[in-house]
Amino acid sequence: MLVALEMDYFSEGYRTMHSNCVDLPMAGAAGFHQYENYFYYTFLYAVMMNWGEAADGDWVASRRSILNKLGLTLKVTEVLDTAGLLSAIRMNIDQQCPVVMIANYNYLFFLSQYGTVIDDHAVLITEYDAARELIVIRENQLNKEVTLNVMKGEPFFKLQLTEEMIADIWNKSNASFKEIRNYCYNKLFSVAKIGEPEIHSYLELVEDFLKCYKDRSSHLIEAVERFNDNVALMEGLHDANAVAVEFETMRRSYHGSAIILFDIFEKALPWLSAHEEWGQIFGGFRDQYIKFRYHLISSLHADTLRRKLMPPDRILQLTEEIRQLDTELFSLLSKLLAHHHKEEESHNAAQAWTNYAAYAEVSADSEYSLDPETVCHASQAVNGRLENWVTDSWHSDTGQPVHWLLLDLLKQRDLLRFVIRHSPAPGYITMDYELQGSNDKEQWEQIAAVRNNESVLTAHEADGCSFRYIRLYITYPAQNDFQARIFELEVWGLPDITQASKI
């Protein structure tokens, strides 16, 4: 009977070029317990590589410190022989704990390129069938070249192996770990739930990062300061491929990790993609930060191959550039989070406001008719729906270049904000218009005037004005024709408590 842990493939995750082939499976195991844990783990690992504990510290303790923030832990099971290995795999899966088996690339037969590499790799084990003596692993390097062009991440595809195959991989890898990877020797790892997480959202993740690491120096600075010593240590490495492996690790730690960091920043602040000003500032800095690290590591790699030492003034310049970019990173995050919370407070305050347009009597200079039974009525601009332009928006006719939409709020209201949702179709967005207010429909006061609008949604603060009638006066309806198209007009103000039941 097959016993299986159901988990996502994480095709929208990351690639080994961003992290590594041990910690991505660890992230996948965390993601079994909660999908977002995959992304939380990779972010926290990226932070650790840049500002946290040194990478050559206690391997198990450093991973536990990450998992503990997620309400998880890294279990270590002592394994002495094949029977113990298979028993530990089954026991962990029975306990709903994905297994992370660390192996040596050289003994992973299922991908031809693995046999030429002597390094650590990890596979996830999520299923077993004791009766058929089968083990199912999750391997994120299968079909890597195929998925490169169609998927963001490297999915954990399933691969069915016999117990004998798993044991052979384990025994050969374990023998190689006895001298060089003591933390792996005779050990099998799994990820288990132990309590409630400290982190509940991407926003909390980024806030925690800002609070804990803004005053720490980057490990990249240390790498630059040690560069000349490392060049001397590599004098004996005449194999360019061996040097390339060293710098591939460095590129993952300091460049690939930065890609993860900024991806999570965007997940925490999803409004960035729709906010033109902040989006441009964030995008420009992101590109600058990531490109700087890419070119720096490429330069260090080239100089190492040439055995070219770095002058002291160049080291000082680079460390200052790294420090300055990190300072700008934390400063920008502080500003973005402050803006986010300010908008959130405004939004929460706005929840107590009333949209008086929803109760208004509405008229317009004209209404477009598809046929006698289908008319884009003026009242559709205040129905609170955006599902269908035929039933949920006001369209004027096309006979005149000037149009108006009039709202009677039934009595004079104290107003705070106006929101206009225009046609989303390019070429048909309202170009020029005025918002006007009146209490007698004779004398109109200008609330706002807009020219050459390109935004689908426009908002105007009312600054406490007080009107009964609101008119949207459109002088340039659209770039492509003379038809006005308004999907929604919202008129927000504080609720009239005394009249609430009469609105």
Side-chain angles (χ1 to χ4, degrees), residues 351-410:
Q351 299 306 300
W353 296 358
T354 296
N355 177 16
Y356 287 114
Y359 310 101
E361 295 179 356
V362 190
S363 58
D365 70 287
S366 59
E367 296 174 330
Y368 175 67
S369 176
L370 288 170
D371 55 60
E373 296 183 357
T374 308
V375 180
C376 295
H377 296 290
S379 59
Q380 295 175 181
V382 298
N383 67 4
R385 298 193 305 268
L386 303 169
E387 298 169 7
N388 187 314
W389 73 269
V390 175
T391 59
D392 301 325
S393 68
W394 164 63
H395 284 41
S396 71
D397 62 22
T398 58
Q400 299 295 326
V402 175
H403 301 285
W404 52 263
L405 181 69
L406 177 65
L407 275 59
D408 179 355
L409 307 182
L410 307 180

Short mmCIF file of all heavy atoms in Angstrom, two decimals, residues 351-410:
data_model
loop_
_atom_site.label_atom_id
_atom_site.label_comp_id
_atom_site.label_asym_id
_atom_site.label_seq_id
_atom_site.Cartn_x
_atom_site.Cartn_y
_atom_site.Cartn_z
N GLN A 351 -13.25 52.61 5.84
CA GLN A 351 -14.30 51.62 6.01
C GLN A 351 -15.47 52.20 6.81
O GLN A 351 -16.59 51.71 6.73
CB GLN A 351 -13.75 50.38 6.71
CG GLN A 351 -12.63 49.68 5.95
CD GLN A 351 -13.04 49.32 4.54
OE1 GLN A 351 -14.00 48.58 4.34
NE2 GLN A 351 -12.32 49.85 3.56
N ALA A 352 -15.18 53.23 7.61
CA ALA A 352 -16.24 53.86 8.41
C ALA A 352 -16.97 54.94 7.62
O ALA A 352 -17.95 55.49 8.09
CB ALA A 352 -15.65 54.45 9.69
N TRP A 353 -16.46 55.26 6.43
CA TRP A 353 -17.10 56.27 5.61
C TRP A 353 -18.31 55.69 4.89
O TRP A 353 -18.50 54.47 4.80
CB TRP A 353 -16.13 56.82 4.57
CG TRP A 353 -14.94 57.54 5.14
CD1 TRP A 353 -14.67 57.78 6.45
CD2 TRP A 353 -13.86 58.09 4.40
NE1 TRP A 353 -13.48 58.45 6.58
CE2 TRP A 353 -12.96 58.67 5.34
CE3 TRP A 353 -13.55 58.18 3.05
CZ2 TRP A 353 -11.78 59.30 4.95
CZ3 TRP A 353 -12.38 58.81 2.66
CH2 TRP A 353 -11.51 59.37 3.61
N THR A 354 -19.12 56.56 4.34
CA THR A 354 -20.28 56.16 3.55
C THR A 354 -20.08 56.61 2.11
O THR A 354 -19.68 57.75 1.86
CB THR A 354 -21.56 56.80 4.11
OG1 THR A 354 -21.80 56.30 5.43
CG2 THR A 354 -22.76 56.49 3.22
N ASN A 355 -20.37 55.72 1.18
CA ASN A 355 -20.36 56.09 -0.23
C ASN A 355 -21.77 56.60 -0.58
O ASN A 355 -22.67 55.81 -0.88
CB ASN A 355 -19.99 54.89 -1.10
CG ASN A 355 -20.03 55.22 -2.58
OD1 ASN A 355 -20.05 56.40 -2.97
ND2 ASN A 355 -20.06 54.19 -3.42
N TYR A 356 -21.94 57.92 -0.54
CA TYR A 356 -23.26 58.49 -0.76
C TYR A 356 -23.75 58.31 -2.20
O TYR A 356 -24.95 58.40 -2.46
CB TYR A 356 -23.25 59.98 -0.40
CG TYR A 356 -23.20 60.22 1.09
CD1 TYR A 356 -22.10 60.82 1.68
CD2 TYR A 356 -24.27 59.84 1.89
CE1 TYR A 356 -22.06 61.04 3.05
CE2 TYR A 356 -24.24 60.05 3.27
CZ TYR A 356 -23.13 60.64 3.84
OH TYR A 356 -23.10 60.85 5.19
N ALA A 357 -22.81 58.02 -3.11
CA ALA A 357 -23.22 57.81 -4.51
C ALA A 357 -24.14 56.59 -4.63
O ALA A 357 -25.00 56.53 -5.51
CB ALA A 357 -21.99 57.64 -5.38
N ALA A 358 -23.94 55.63 -3.73
CA ALA A 358 -24.73 54.39 -3.79
C ALA A 358 -26.22 54.65 -3.54
O ALA A 358 -27.07 53.83 -3.92
CB ALA A 358 -24.19 53.38 -2.79
N TYR A 359 -26.55 55.77 -2.90
CA TYR A 359 -27.95 56.08 -2.57
C TYR A 359 -28.47 57.27 -3.37
O TYR A 359 -29.59 57.75 -3.15
CB TYR A 359 -28.06 56.40 -1.08
CG TYR A 359 -27.41 55.36 -0.20
CD1 TYR A 359 -26.15 55.60 0.35
CD2 TYR A 359 -28.03 54.15 0.07
CE1 TYR A 359 -25.53 54.64 1.15
CE2 TYR A 359 -27.43 53.20 0.85
CZ TYR A 359 -26.18 53.44 1.39
OH TYR A 359 -25.58 52.50 2.18
N ALA A 360 -27.65 57.77 -4.31
CA ALA A 360 -28.00 59.01 -5.01
C ALA A 360 -29.00 58.76 -6.14
O ALA A 360 -29.12 57.66 -6.67
CB ALA A 360 -26.74 59.65 -5.58
N GLU A 361 -29.70 59.85 -6.51
CA GLU A 361 -30.48 59.86 -7.75
C GLU A 361 -29.54 60.36 -8.84
O GLU A 361 -28.88 61.38 -8.70
CB GLU A 361 -31.69 60.79 -7.59
CG GLU A 361 -32.68 60.29 -6.56
CD GLU A 361 -33.87 61.25 -6.40
OE1 GLU A 361 -33.85 62.33 -7.06
OE2 GLU A 361 -34.78 60.92 -5.64
N VAL A 362 -29.51 59.62 -9.95
CA VAL A 362 -28.48 59.87 -10.96
C VAL A 362 -29.11 60.21 -12.31
O VAL A 362 -30.11 59.59 -12.72
CB VAL A 362 -27.58 58.62 -11.14
CG1 VAL A 362 -26.36 58.96 -12.00
CG2 VAL A 362 -27.13 58.09 -9.79
N SER A 363 -28.53 61.18 -12.98
CA SER A 363 -28.97 61.55 -14.33
C SER A 363 -27.74 61.89 -15.16
O SER A 363 -26.64 62.05 -14.62
CB SER A 363 -29.94 62.73 -14.30
OG SER A 363 -29.33 63.85 -13.67
N ALA A 364 -27.94 62.00 -16.46
CA ALA A 364 -26.82 62.30 -17.35
C ALA A 364 -27.34 63.05 -18.57
O ALA A 364 -28.55 63.08 -18.84
CB ALA A 364 -26.11 61.02 -17.77
N ASP A 365 -26.41 63.64 -19.34
CA ASP A 365 -26.84 64.37 -20.54
C ASP A 365 -27.39 63.42 -21.59
O ASP A 365 -28.24 63.78 -22.40
CB ASP A 365 -25.65 65.16 -21.11
CG ASP A 365 -24.60 64.25 -21.72
OD1 ASP A 365 -23.87 63.57 -20.95
OD2 ASP A 365 -24.49 64.18 -22.95
N SER A 366 -26.92 62.16 -21.57
CA SER A 366 -27.39 61.18 -22.56
C SER A 366 -27.00 59.79 -22.09
O SER A 366 -26.14 59.62 -21.21
CB SER A 366 -26.77 61.45 -23.93
OG SER A 366 -25.34 61.38 -23.86
N GLU A 367 -27.62 58.76 -22.67
CA GLU A 367 -27.32 57.37 -22.34
C GLU A 367 -27.25 56.56 -23.62
O GLU A 367 -28.15 56.62 -24.46
CB GLU A 367 -28.40 56.79 -21.41
CG GLU A 367 -28.46 57.48 -20.05
CD GLU A 367 -29.62 56.99 -19.19
OE1 GLU A 367 -30.67 56.60 -19.78
OE2 GLU A 367 -29.48 56.99 -17.95
N TYR A 368 -26.19 55.82 -23.77
CA TYR A 368 -25.97 55.04 -24.99
C TYR A 368 -26.89 53.82 -24.99
O TYR A 368 -27.03 53.11 -23.98
CB TYR A 368 -24.51 54.60 -25.07
CG TYR A 368 -24.20 53.69 -26.23
CD1 TYR A 368 -24.27 54.16 -27.54
CD2 TYR A 368 -23.82 52.37 -26.02
CE1 TYR A 368 -23.99 53.33 -28.61
CE2 TYR A 368 -23.53 51.54 -27.08
CZ TYR A 368 -23.61 52.00 -28.38
OH TYR A 368 -23.33 51.18 -29.43
N SER A 369 -27.50 53.55 -26.15
CA SER A 369 -28.41 52.41 -26.28
C SER A 369 -27.92 51.47 -27.36
O SER A 369 -27.76 51.87 -28.52
CB SER A 369 -29.82 52.91 -26.62
OG SER A 369 -30.69 51.82 -26.84
N LEU A 370 -27.65 50.22 -26.95
CA LEU A 370 -27.30 49.20 -27.93
C LEU A 370 -28.53 48.81 -28.75
O LEU A 370 -28.45 48.59 -29.95
CB LEU A 370 -26.75 47.96 -27.21
CG LEU A 370 -25.35 48.08 -26.58
CD1 LEU A 370 -25.07 46.86 -25.73
CD2 LEU A 370 -24.29 48.19 -27.67
N ASP A 371 -29.67 48.71 -28.07
CA ASP A 371 -30.96 48.42 -28.68
C ASP A 371 -32.01 48.92 -27.69
O ASP A 371 -31.67 49.32 -26.57
CB ASP A 371 -31.11 46.92 -28.98
CG ASP A 371 -30.91 46.05 -27.76
OD1 ASP A 371 -31.67 46.22 -26.78
OD2 ASP A 371 -30.00 45.20 -27.78
N PRO A 372 -33.29 48.92 -28.04
CA PRO A 372 -34.30 49.49 -27.13
C PRO A 372 -34.31 48.88 -25.73
O PRO A 372 -34.72 49.52 -24.77
CB PRO A 372 -35.62 49.22 -27.88
CG PRO A 372 -35.22 49.20 -29.32
CD PRO A 372 -33.86 48.56 -29.34
N GLU A 373 -33.87 47.63 -25.61
CA GLU A 373 -33.91 46.97 -24.31
C GLU A 373 -32.57 46.99 -23.59
O GLU A 373 -32.48 46.53 -22.44
CB GLU A 373 -34.38 45.52 -24.49
CG GLU A 373 -35.81 45.40 -25.03
CD GLU A 373 -36.27 43.97 -25.14
OE1 GLU A 373 -35.43 43.07 -24.85
OE2 GLU A 373 -37.44 43.74 -25.49
N THR A 374 -31.54 47.47 -24.23
CA THR A 374 -30.20 47.47 -23.61
C THR A 374 -29.65 48.88 -23.63
O THR A 374 -29.21 49.37 -24.68
CB THR A 374 -29.24 46.52 -24.37
OG1 THR A 374 -29.84 45.23 -24.49
CG2 THR A 374 -27.91 46.40 -23.64
N VAL A 375 -29.68 49.52 -22.46
CA VAL A 375 -29.25 50.91 -22.33
C VAL A 375 -28.21 51.01 -21.22
O VAL A 375 -28.38 50.42 -20.15
CB VAL A 375 -30.44 51.84 -22.01
CG1 VAL A 375 -29.97 53.28 -21.89
CG2 VAL A 375 -31.52 51.70 -23.08
N CYS A 376 -27.14 51.76 -21.47
CA CYS A 376 -26.10 51.98 -20.45
C CYS A 376 -26.52 53.16 -19.58
O CYS A 376 -26.06 54.30 -19.76
CB CYS A 376 -24.75 52.24 -21.12
SG CYS A 376 -24.12 50.83 -22.05
N HIS A 377 -27.41 52.90 -18.64
CA HIS A 377 -28.04 53.93 -17.83
C HIS A 377 -27.03 54.67 -16.94
O HIS A 377 -26.04 54.09 -16.49
CB HIS A 377 -29.12 53.33 -16.94
CG HIS A 377 -30.26 52.76 -17.71
ND1 HIS A 377 -31.17 53.54 -18.40
CD2 HIS A 377 -30.67 51.46 -17.90
CE1 HIS A 377 -32.08 52.77 -18.98
NE2 HIS A 377 -31.80 51.50 -18.68
N ALA A 378 -27.34 55.91 -16.64
CA ALA A 378 -26.51 56.70 -15.74
C ALA A 378 -26.43 56.05 -14.36
O ALA A 378 -25.38 56.08 -13.70
CB ALA A 378 -27.09 58.11 -15.62
N SER A 379 -27.51 55.44 -13.92
CA SER A 379 -27.55 54.82 -12.59
C SER A 379 -26.56 53.65 -12.47
O SER A 379 -26.18 53.26 -11.35
CB SER A 379 -28.96 54.33 -12.27
OG SER A 379 -29.39 53.38 -13.24
N GLN A 380 -26.13 53.09 -13.58
CA GLN A 380 -25.19 51.98 -13.53
C GLN A 380 -23.80 52.41 -13.08
O GLN A 380 -22.98 51.58 -12.70
CB GLN A 380 -25.12 51.29 -14.90
CG GLN A 380 -26.43 50.62 -15.30
CD GLN A 380 -26.42 50.02 -16.70
OE1 GLN A 380 -27.43 49.47 -17.14
NE2 GLN A 380 -25.33 50.14 -17.42
N ALA A 381 -23.54 53.72 -13.09
CA ALA A 381 -22.24 54.22 -12.65
C ALA A 381 -22.11 54.27 -11.13
O ALA A 381 -21.05 54.60 -10.60
CB ALA A 381 -22.00 55.62 -13.21
N VAL A 382 -23.20 53.92 -10.41
CA VAL A 382 -23.13 53.93 -8.95
C VAL A 382 -23.65 52.61 -8.36
O VAL A 382 -23.98 52.54 -7.18
CB VAL A 382 -23.94 55.11 -8.37
CG1 VAL A 382 -23.36 56.42 -8.84
CG2 VAL A 382 -25.43 55.01 -8.73
N ASN A 383 -23.71 51.54 -9.18
CA ASN A 383 -24.29 50.29 -8.68
C ASN A 383 -23.29 49.41 -7.93
O ASN A 383 -23.64 48.34 -7.45
CB ASN A 383 -24.97 49.51 -9.81
CG ASN A 383 -23.99 48.97 -10.84
OD1 ASN A 383 -22.77 49.11 -10.69
ND2 ASN A 383 -24.50 48.36 -11.90
N GLY A 384 -22.01 49.83 -7.86
CA GLY A 384 -21.02 49.10 -7.08
C GLY A 384 -20.49 47.85 -7.74
O GLY A 384 -19.74 47.08 -7.13
N ARG A 385 -20.84 47.64 -9.02
CA ARG A 385 -20.37 46.44 -9.72
C ARG A 385 -19.50 46.85 -10.92
O ARG A 385 -19.72 47.90 -11.52
CB ARG A 385 -21.55 45.59 -10.21
CG ARG A 385 -22.45 45.07 -9.09
CD ARG A 385 -23.39 44.00 -9.63
NE ARG A 385 -24.18 44.49 -10.76
CZ ARG A 385 -25.38 45.04 -10.67
NH1 ARG A 385 -25.93 45.21 -9.48
NH2 ARG A 385 -26.04 45.44 -11.74
N LEU A 386 -18.56 45.95 -11.27
CA LEU A 386 -17.67 46.20 -12.41
C LEU A 386 -17.58 44.98 -13.32
O LEU A 386 -16.59 44.77 -13.99
CB LEU A 386 -16.26 46.56 -11.89
CG LEU A 386 -16.16 47.75 -10.94
CD1 LEU A 386 -14.77 47.81 -10.32
CD2 LEU A 386 -16.45 49.04 -11.69
N GLU A 387 -18.63 44.18 -13.32
CA GLU A 387 -18.55 42.89 -13.98
C GLU A 387 -18.75 42.97 -15.50
O GLU A 387 -18.12 42.25 -16.26
CB GLU A 387 -19.58 41.94 -13.37
CG GLU A 387 -19.33 41.67 -11.88
CD GLU A 387 -20.48 40.94 -11.22
OE1 GLU A 387 -21.42 40.53 -11.95
OE2 GLU A 387 -20.47 40.81 -9.98
N ASN A 388 -19.64 43.86 -15.95
CA ASN A 388 -20.02 43.88 -17.36
C ASN A 388 -20.29 45.32 -17.77
O ASN A 388 -21.08 46.01 -17.14
CB ASN A 388 -21.29 43.01 -17.56
CG ASN A 388 -21.64 42.84 -19.01
OD1 ASN A 388 -21.65 43.80 -19.79
ND2 ASN A 388 -21.96 41.60 -19.39
N TRP A 389 -19.62 45.79 -18.82
CA TRP A 389 -19.78 47.20 -19.20
C TRP A 389 -21.21 47.52 -19.63
O TRP A 389 -21.69 48.64 -19.47
CB TRP A 389 -18.80 47.57 -20.30
CG TRP A 389 -19.10 47.02 -21.68
CD1 TRP A 389 -18.66 45.86 -22.20
CD2 TRP A 389 -19.90 47.66 -22.69
NE1 TRP A 389 -19.13 45.69 -23.48
CE2 TRP A 389 -19.89 46.79 -23.81
CE3 TRP A 389 -20.62 48.85 -22.76
CZ2 TRP A 389 -20.58 47.09 -24.98
CZ3 TRP A 389 -21.30 49.14 -23.93
CH2 TRP A 389 -21.28 48.27 -25.04
N VAL A 390 -21.93 46.53 -20.13
CA VAL A 390 -23.29 46.78 -20.61
C VAL A 390 -24.22 47.07 -19.43
O VAL A 390 -25.09 47.94 -19.50
CB VAL A 390 -23.81 45.58 -21.42
CG1 VAL A 390 -25.27 45.78 -21.82
CG2 VAL A 390 -22.95 45.37 -22.66
N THR A 391 -24.02 46.34 -18.32
CA THR A 391 -24.94 46.46 -17.18
C THR A 391 -24.35 47.22 -16.00
O THR A 391 -25.08 47.56 -15.06
CB THR A 391 -25.35 45.05 -16.68
OG1 THR A 391 -24.15 44.33 -16.31
CG2 THR A 391 -26.07 44.29 -17.77
N ASP A 392 -23.04 47.50 -16.04
CA ASP A 392 -22.39 48.06 -14.85
C ASP A 392 -21.60 49.34 -15.14
O ASP A 392 -20.67 49.67 -14.40
CB ASP A 392 -21.45 47.02 -14.22
CG ASP A 392 -22.19 45.76 -13.80
OD1 ASP A 392 -23.35 45.88 -13.38
OD2 ASP A 392 -21.61 44.67 -13.90
N SER A 393 -21.95 50.05 -16.19
CA SER A 393 -21.28 51.33 -16.45
C SER A 393 -22.23 52.27 -17.20
O SER A 393 -23.18 51.82 -17.84
CB SER A 393 -20.01 51.12 -17.27
OG SER A 393 -20.32 50.69 -18.59
N TRP A 394 -21.93 53.55 -17.06
CA TRP A 394 -22.66 54.55 -17.85
C TRP A 394 -21.84 54.91 -19.08
O TRP A 394 -20.64 55.20 -18.98
CB TRP A 394 -22.89 55.82 -17.03
CG TRP A 394 -23.29 57.00 -17.89
CD1 TRP A 394 -24.41 57.10 -18.66
CD2 TRP A 394 -22.56 58.22 -18.08
NE1 TRP A 394 -24.44 58.31 -19.33
CE2 TRP A 394 -23.31 59.02 -18.99
CE3 TRP A 394 -21.36 58.71 -17.59
CZ2 TRP A 394 -22.88 60.28 -19.41
CZ3 TRP A 394 -20.92 59.97 -17.99
CH2 TRP A 394 -21.68 60.74 -18.90
N HIS A 395 -22.49 54.84 -20.25
CA HIS A 395 -21.91 55.32 -21.50
C HIS A 395 -22.83 56.40 -22.06
O HIS A 395 -24.05 56.23 -22.10
CB HIS A 395 -21.82 54.19 -22.55
CG HIS A 395 -20.70 53.22 -22.29
ND1 HIS A 395 -20.37 52.77 -21.05
CD2 HIS A 395 -19.83 52.63 -23.16
CE1 HIS A 395 -19.35 51.92 -21.15
NE2 HIS A 395 -19.01 51.83 -22.42
N SER A 396 -22.24 57.50 -22.44
CA SER A 396 -23.03 58.55 -23.11
C SER A 396 -23.21 58.18 -24.58
O SER A 396 -22.64 57.20 -25.07
CB SER A 396 -22.30 59.88 -23.00
OG SER A 396 -21.15 59.87 -23.85
N ASP A 397 -23.99 59.01 -25.28
CA ASP A 397 -24.03 58.83 -26.73
C ASP A 397 -22.76 59.44 -27.33
O ASP A 397 -21.88 59.91 -26.61
CB ASP A 397 -25.30 59.46 -27.32
CG ASP A 397 -25.37 60.98 -27.09
OD1 ASP A 397 -24.31 61.59 -26.87
OD2 ASP A 397 -26.48 61.54 -27.13
N THR A 398 -22.66 59.43 -28.64
CA THR A 398 -21.44 59.91 -29.30
C THR A 398 -21.66 61.19 -30.10
O THR A 398 -20.79 61.63 -30.83
CB THR A 398 -20.91 58.82 -30.26
OG1 THR A 398 -21.93 58.50 -31.21
CG2 THR A 398 -20.54 57.57 -29.49
N GLY A 399 -22.83 61.79 -29.92
CA GLY A 399 -23.18 62.93 -30.76
C GLY A 399 -22.50 64.24 -30.39
O GLY A 399 -22.36 65.12 -31.23
N GLN A 400 -22.09 64.39 -29.12
CA GLN A 400 -21.51 65.65 -28.65
C GLN A 400 -20.15 65.39 -27.99
O GLN A 400 -19.92 64.32 -27.43
CB GLN A 400 -22.44 66.33 -27.64
CG GLN A 400 -23.81 66.68 -28.19
CD GLN A 400 -23.73 67.73 -29.29
OE1 GLN A 400 -22.88 68.62 -29.24
NE2 GLN A 400 -24.63 67.63 -30.27
N PRO A 401 -19.25 66.38 -27.99
CA PRO A 401 -17.92 66.19 -27.39
C PRO A 401 -17.90 66.45 -25.89
O PRO A 401 -16.89 66.17 -25.23
CB PRO A 401 -17.06 67.22 -28.13
CG PRO A 401 -18.01 68.31 -28.50
CD PRO A 401 -19.33 67.64 -28.77
N VAL A 402 -18.99 67.01 -25.34
CA VAL A 402 -19.04 67.31 -23.91
C VAL A 402 -20.19 66.54 -23.28
O VAL A 402 -21.30 66.51 -23.84
CB VAL A 402 -19.22 68.83 -23.67
CG1 VAL A 402 -19.39 69.11 -22.17
CG2 VAL A 402 -18.03 69.60 -24.22
N HIS A 403 -19.93 65.94 -22.11
CA HIS A 403 -20.97 65.15 -21.43
C HIS A 403 -20.90 65.40 -19.93
O HIS A 403 -19.89 65.89 -19.42
CB HIS A 403 -20.75 63.65 -21.69
CG HIS A 403 -20.79 63.29 -23.15
ND1 HIS A 403 -21.95 63.21 -23.87
CD2 HIS A 403 -19.78 63.00 -24.02
CE1 HIS A 403 -21.68 62.88 -25.12
NE2 HIS A 403 -20.36 62.75 -25.24
N TRP A 404 -22.00 65.07 -19.24
CA TRP A 404 -22.01 65.21 -17.79
C TRP A 404 -22.81 64.10 -17.13
O TRP A 404 -23.74 63.55 -17.70
CB TRP A 404 -22.54 66.58 -17.34
CG TRP A 404 -23.88 66.98 -17.93
CD1 TRP A 404 -24.08 67.77 -19.01
CD2 TRP A 404 -25.18 66.59 -17.45
NE1 TRP A 404 -25.43 67.91 -19.25
CE2 TRP A 404 -26.12 67.21 -18.30
CE3 TRP A 404 -25.64 65.82 -16.40
CZ2 TRP A 404 -27.50 67.04 -18.13
CZ3 TRP A 404 -27.01 65.64 -16.22
CH2 TRP A 404 -27.92 66.27 -17.08
N LEU A 405 -22.40 63.79 -15.90
CA LEU A 405 -23.07 62.81 -15.05
C LEU A 405 -23.38 63.53 -13.74
O LEU A 405 -22.49 64.09 -13.11
CB LEU A 405 -22.16 61.60 -14.80
CG LEU A 405 -22.72 60.46 -13.93
CD1 LEU A 405 -23.84 59.74 -14.68
CD2 LEU A 405 -21.61 59.48 -13.57
N LEU A 406 -24.66 63.52 -13.31
CA LEU A 406 -25.10 64.31 -12.16
C LEU A 406 -25.64 63.39 -11.06
O LEU A 406 -26.48 62.54 -11.32
CB LEU A 406 -26.19 65.31 -12.58
CG LEU A 406 -26.80 66.16 -11.47
CD1 LEU A 406 -25.77 67.10 -10.87
CD2 LEU A 406 -28.00 66.95 -12.02
N LEU A 407 -25.15 63.61 -9.83
CA LEU A 407 -25.62 62.86 -8.66
C LEU A 407 -26.31 63.81 -7.69
O LEU A 407 -25.76 64.85 -7.31
CB LEU A 407 -24.44 62.20 -7.92
CG LEU A 407 -23.96 60.83 -8.42
CD1 LEU A 407 -23.51 60.89 -9.86
CD2 LEU A 407 -22.83 60.32 -7.52
N ASP A 408 -27.54 63.44 -7.30
CA ASP A 408 -28.26 64.15 -6.25
C ASP A 408 -28.14 63.31 -4.98
O ASP A 408 -28.69 62.21 -4.89
CB ASP A 408 -29.73 64.32 -6.64
CG ASP A 408 -30.55 65.04 -5.57
OD1 ASP A 408 -29.99 65.33 -4.48
OD2 ASP A 408 -31.73 65.31 -5.81
N LEU A 409 -27.39 63.81 -3.99
CA LEU A 409 -27.13 63.07 -2.76
C LEU A 409 -28.28 63.19 -1.76
O LEU A 409 -28.15 62.76 -0.61
CB LEU A 409 -25.82 63.55 -2.12
CG LEU A 409 -24.59 63.54 -3.04
CD1 LEU A 409 -23.36 64.00 -2.26
CD2 LEU A 409 -24.36 62.18 -3.66
N LEU A 410 -29.39 63.78 -2.18
CA LEU A 410 -30.64 63.89 -1.42
C LEU A 410 -30.62 64.98 -0.35
O LEU A 410 -31.66 65.47 0.06
CB LEU A 410 -31.02 62.55 -0.79
CG LEU A 410 -31.08 61.36 -1.76
CD1 LEU A 410 -31.48 60.11 -1.02
CD2 LEU A 410 -32.03 61.64 -2.92
#
